[in-house]
Amino acid sequence: MNPKATLKLSSKSIFMHIEQLINMHKLAELALLVVLLTALGIISPAHAAAAVRMQLSRRTDAGSGLTGRELLQRMALGSLARAAQIFSASPASAPVVPGQRADDDPYTLYLARLAIGTPPQPVLLVLDTGSDLTWTQCLPCPACFAQGLPYFNLSLSSTFAARSCGSPECQSLPVPSCGTKKWWGNNTCVYTYSYGDNSVTTGLLALDTVMFAGDAGRTAAVPGVAFGCGVFNNGLFRYNMTGIAGFGRGALSLPSQLKVDNFSYCFTAMAASTPSPVLLGLPANLYSGAGGAAVQTTPIIQNPTIPTLYYLSMKGITVGSTRLPVPESAFALRNNGTDGGTIIDSGTSILLLPDQVYQVLRDAFVAQVKLPAASVANTTDAGPLCFTVSPQAKPDVPRLVLHFDGATMDLRRENYLFDLEDAGASYTCVAVMASELNMTIIGNFQQQNMHVLYDLANNKLSFVPAQCDKV
Ligand SMILES: *[C@@H]1O[C@H](CO)[C@@H](O)[C@H](O)[C@H]1NC(C)=O
Ligand SMILES: *[C@@H]1O[C@H](CO)[C@@H](O)[C@H](O)[C@H]1NC(C)=O
Ligand SMILES: *[C@@H]1O[C@H](CO)[C@@H](O)[C@H](O)[C@H]1NC(C)=O
Ligand SMILES: *[C@@H]1O[C@H](CO)[C@@H](O)[C@H](O)[C@H]1NC(C)=O
Ligand SMILES: *[C@@H]1O[C@H](CO)[C@@H](O)[C@H](O)[C@H]1NC(C)=O
Ligand SMILES: *[C@@H]1O[C@H](CO)[C@@H](O)[C@H](O)[C@H]1NC(C)=O
């Protein structure tokens, strides 16, 4: 993190809020929404009932409450948006450049600038490897959040085509429903995605041409891409986003629909004002300019129970000089893929660890940091761990290294520490928190200035430190 990118806080209660963010108990609200949409005659009763059953059964199977991949994603996204709201001194005013985040908080989302329709209408979508469906807000928008860009107007697009309830795309949805004639025309596919933090999006599943911006002003137009035309969107969506770009492993994600063998991104540092490149279908010599740093490669593990997510084989964590006394099984999938595991996610901000692992990591930082014991700030057990420091100080904090099967992620300072100011006091905080999900999530804070390649054809993830504004 840029030393000048100090954050202003209105209240230390952020620590409490952050803990609450990781709670995920909103499934009932999806069921209620579907019932409400049915009552309003927006979707047909038979399909709605089926949808509710399906969703609830997945929830029940999990025991811990973590099953539906879409719910997991929503939780992660929600935590970002919520935290950003709390952190941000001037909500909703941060400028956003293409493919980049809002400017003044450590809980960041990276936005991709695309265009949909003929002629193309611009959209700004959160790049999210933790979900599949791509959606943007759509007129008539009876319930949309405010956005900087005009809402997508399907009437203006000559290539827009709603999908039918029986289409394969509709069947790929986690919660498909059939729209009623009154609202959507006959037999149209309606999607509903819920968010762990209360956020939801519902709308028409459709096909249209999606235009990707390329280098040097070139564009690539891909016809017939399935996406959600979201008309009921409510919750903690923020920034200049107009929706989400799903980069997961499922059939509806953009990489799946574009049939690319690989994609990569390189997130510029939060303090930078330059765009972050996202590349699809890459040259084989991608890393030739890596400048000597060793490219690290580790297997991507597929989990049939939650096929959307990119699981990694994580082995352990080193803090300073200590390999944490945590068994490898703490990072592994359990219960036939319904529980545990380690994922890499562009839609989550900071590193989340299972609670027991987090407590061990926290103790290791406190034991090894070269600061007086009294400098440990009174935050919640869930974190983040913060130290009171003198203004502008850069205390000597132990290094943080993540170990994977065949790869090591030796995090630079900007990838795990951030600075805060609150009520006249200065803090240095470790960008790691406990997750009640019992799962490890490598967030985008850890991935700043790292070129990350998802080799889908060979199930491998590669990463190398990079200057992302030069990629
Ligand atoms: C971002 O939002 C601000 C205010 O909310 C607006 O002035 C600005 O034009 C928006 N930018 C884009 C690219 O939508
Ligand atoms: C959407 O486009 C149609 C067709 O041009 C137009 O009649 C309508 O006014 C537009 N809606 C809005 C809200 O701009
Ligand atoms: C609406 O769709 C149903 C089957 O999905 C069909 O039987 C009916 O004829 C359609 N009505 C119109 C007006 O297209
Ligand atoms: C990415 O995929 C393309 C084929 O789609 C292949 O030619 C290329 O070598 C791959 N690049 C990397 C870096 O794996
Ligand atoms: C494990 O999960 C897979 C995929 O979801 C399923 O097909 C299989 O039946 C499950 N096995 C057990 C023992 O639950
Ligand atoms: C630390 O926080 C807890 C719970 O918020 C509170 O009960 C306790 O008094 C605080 N301790 C100090 C030293 O502020």
Side-chain angles (χ1 to χ4, degrees):
M1 162 173 275
N2 183 314
K4 294 196 188 76
T6 308
L7 297 146
K8 302 259 186 279
L9 289 181
S10 54
S11 158
K12 224 187 292 180
S13 63
I14 54 141
F15 300 124
M16 307 286 280
H17 286 114
I18 289 169
E19 188 185 41
Q20 289 161 11
L21 301 178
I22 11 191
N23 291 325
M24 203 184 66
H25 47 75
K26 299 295 183 196
L27 183 83
E29 288 170 25
L30 174 62
L32 279 177
L33 176 80
V34 173
V35 169
L36 179 70
L37 294 175
T38 305
L40 292 173
I42 291 167
I43 57 181
S44 66
H47 284 82
V52 174
R53 266 201 310 277
M54 176 179 129
Q55 197 70 8
L56 288 171
S57 71
R58 294 171 78 167
R59 165 81 169 195
T60 308
D61 289 345
S64 70
L66 196 218
T67 39
R69 54 191 187 266
E70 67 289 349
L71 288 176
L72 168 64
Q73 158 49 26
R74 299 314 147 207
M75 187 285 312
L77 177 63
S79 77
L80 297 183
R82 176 77 180 280
Q85 197 166 29
I86 294 157
F87 270 88
S88 178
S90 48
S93 66
V96 172
V97 300
Q100 220 207 351
R101 57 164 209 93
D103 233 21
D104 59 355
D105 60 77
Y107 295 82
T108 179
L109 296 170
Y110 288 86
L111 298 172
R113 187 187 289 279
L114 305 174
I116 302 177
T118 310
Q121 301 176 40
V123 296
L124 271 173
L125 308 180
V126 172
L127 177 77
D128 185 14
T129 59
S131 68
D132 293 324
L133 180 73
T134 296
W135 63 270
T136 194
Q137 299 202 100
C138 242
L139 291 170
C141 255
C144 290
F145 55 91
Q147 66 177 48
L149 292 167
Y151 295 125
F152 183 80
N153 184 345
L154 63 89
S155 308
L156 293 175
S157 175
S158 61
T159 43
F160 182 93
R163 294 307 278 156
S164 70
C165 304
S167 64
E169 294 88 351
C170 198
Q171 301 307 311
S172 297
L173 288 168
V175 184
S177 330
C178 210
T180 60
K181 198 170 172 185
K182 178 175 145 201
W183 270 81
W184 316 89
N186 204 10
N187 193 30
T188 49
C189 177
V190 173
Y191 76 89
T192 306
Y193 250 59
S194 89
Y195 292 67
D197 63 8
N198 232 347
S199 304
V200 292
T201 173
T202 290
L204 210 52
L205 191 74
L207 302 183
D208 209 337
T209 299
V210 173
M211 191 171 281
F212 297 83
D215 289 337
R218 283 176 305 154
T219 55
V222 182
V225 176
F227 78 107
C229 190
V231 296
F232 297 93
N233 315 303
N234 189 25
L236 298 171
F237 305 117
R238 278 180 32 93
Y239 309 111
N240 284 53
M241 66 183 279
T242 69
I244 291 174
F247 269 66
R249 298 214 73 169
L252 282 178
S253 80
L254 285 181
S256 299
Q257 290 197 61
L258 300 179
K259 299 186 170 63
V260 293
D261 285 338
N262 47 52
F263 68 89
S264 82
Y265 52 70
C266 196
F267 294 147
T268 49
M270 327 190 121
S273 58
T274 39
S276 303
V278 179
L279 311 167
L280 290 133
L282 301 156
N285 64 352
L286 175 68
Y287 287 132
S288 60
V295 177
Q296 304 285 321
T297 300
T298 186
I300 294 175
I301 295 165
Q302 283 174 293
N303 175 8
T305 305
I306 311 180
T308 295
L309 302 176
Y310 296 96
Y311 286 90
L312 303 178
S313 174
M314 185 148 160
K315 301 292 185 191
I317 299 176
T318 294
V319 171
S321 56
T322 313
R323 177 89 173 218
L324 298 184
V326 170
E328 279 180 25
S329 59
F331 304 104
L333 281 166
R334 290 180 293 276
N335 300 332
N336 198 23
T338 60
D339 192 18
T342 299
I343 63 165
I344 181 161
D345 183 12
S346 67
T348 292
S349 54
I350 68 179
L351 176 62
L352 299 179
L353 295 173
D355 188 58
Q356 329 80 279
V357 179
Y358 177 72
Q359 298 310 329
V360 176
L361 172 130
R362 186 185 173 100
D363 291 347
F365 270 108
V366 170
Q368 294 184 55
V369 74
K370 294 193 174 66
L371 287 169
S375 68
V376 176
N378 191 13
T379 61
T380 68
D381 286 347
L385 172 64
C386 294
F387 301 100
T388 313
V389 297
S390 42
Q392 309 302 320
K394 292 277 161 258
D396 190 0
V397 177
R399 69 188 190 127
L400 177 59
V401 183
L402 310 182
H403 304 281
F404 301 93
D405 182 3
T408 302
M409 192 180 277
D410 194 345
L411 295 168
R412 294 172 292 188
R413 186 183 172 93
E414 65 170 8
N415 292 120
Y416 73 102
L417 296 176
F418 63 97
D419 302 315
L420 288 175
E421 271 182 19
D422 177 44
S426 299
Y427 301 90
T428 289
C429 302
V430 183
V432 185
M433 293 199 307
S435 158
E436 289 177 2
L437 298 176
N438 223 358
M439 170 174 210
T440 300
I441 305 179
I442 320 285
N444 58 37
F445 194 94
Q446 276 66 41
Q447 300 174 56
Q448 294 170 82
N449 274 326
M450 198 179 277
H451 196 165
V452 183
L453 164 68
Y454 293 70
D455 181 345
L456 307 174
N458 300 301
N459 277 317
K460 283 183 196 151
L461 183 99
S462 299
F463 53 90
V464 67
Q467 267 190 284
C468 291
D469 53 0
K470 305 237 164 71
V471 168

Short mmCIF file of all heavy atoms in Angstrom, two decimals, residues 139 153 155-156, ligand 2:
data_model
loop_
_atom_site.label_atom_id
_atom_site.label_comp_id
_atom_site.label_asym_id
_atom_site.label_seq_id
_atom_site.Cartn_x
_atom_site.Cartn_y
_atom_site.Cartn_z
N LEU A 139 -33.56 -1.20 -17.47
CA LEU A 139 -34.88 -0.54 -17.46
C LEU A 139 -35.97 -1.59 -17.67
O LEU A 139 -35.71 -2.58 -18.32
CB LEU A 139 -34.94 0.50 -18.59
CG LEU A 139 -34.05 1.73 -18.38
CD1 LEU A 139 -34.00 2.57 -19.65
CD2 LEU A 139 -34.56 2.55 -17.20
N ASN A 153 -31.01 -0.11 -21.55
CA ASN A 153 -32.35 -0.06 -22.13
C ASN A 153 -32.44 -1.11 -23.23
O ASN A 153 -31.92 -0.93 -24.33
CB ASN A 153 -32.62 1.34 -22.70
CG ASN A 153 -34.03 1.49 -23.24
OD1 ASN A 153 -34.73 0.49 -23.44
ND2 ASN A 153 -34.45 2.73 -23.46
N SER A 155 -34.76 -1.96 -25.09
CA SER A 155 -35.48 -1.54 -26.31
C SER A 155 -34.55 -0.90 -27.33
O SER A 155 -34.87 -0.83 -28.50
CB SER A 155 -36.58 -0.53 -25.97
OG SER A 155 -37.39 -1.03 -24.96
N LEU A 156 -33.42 -0.44 -26.87
CA LEU A 156 -32.48 0.23 -27.78
C LEU A 156 -31.56 -0.77 -28.47
O LEU A 156 -30.79 -0.40 -29.34
CB LEU A 156 -31.62 1.24 -27.02
CG LEU A 156 -32.34 2.47 -26.46
CD1 LEU A 156 -31.38 3.31 -25.63
CD2 LEU A 156 -32.94 3.29 -27.60
C1 LIG B 2 -35.75 3.07 -23.97
O1 LIG B 2 -35.69 3.04 -25.35
C2 LIG B 2 -36.95 3.18 -25.99
C3 LIG B 2 -36.76 2.96 -27.49
O2 LIG B 2 -35.94 3.96 -28.04
C4 LIG B 2 -37.51 4.56 -25.68
O3 LIG B 2 -38.79 4.72 -26.24
C5 LIG B 2 -37.62 4.71 -24.17
O4 LIG B 2 -38.01 6.02 -23.84
C6 LIG B 2 -36.27 4.41 -23.51
N1 LIG B 2 -36.49 4.42 -22.08
C7 LIG B 2 -35.88 5.29 -21.29
C8 LIG B 2 -36.27 5.26 -19.85
O5 LIG B 2 -35.05 6.08 -21.70
#
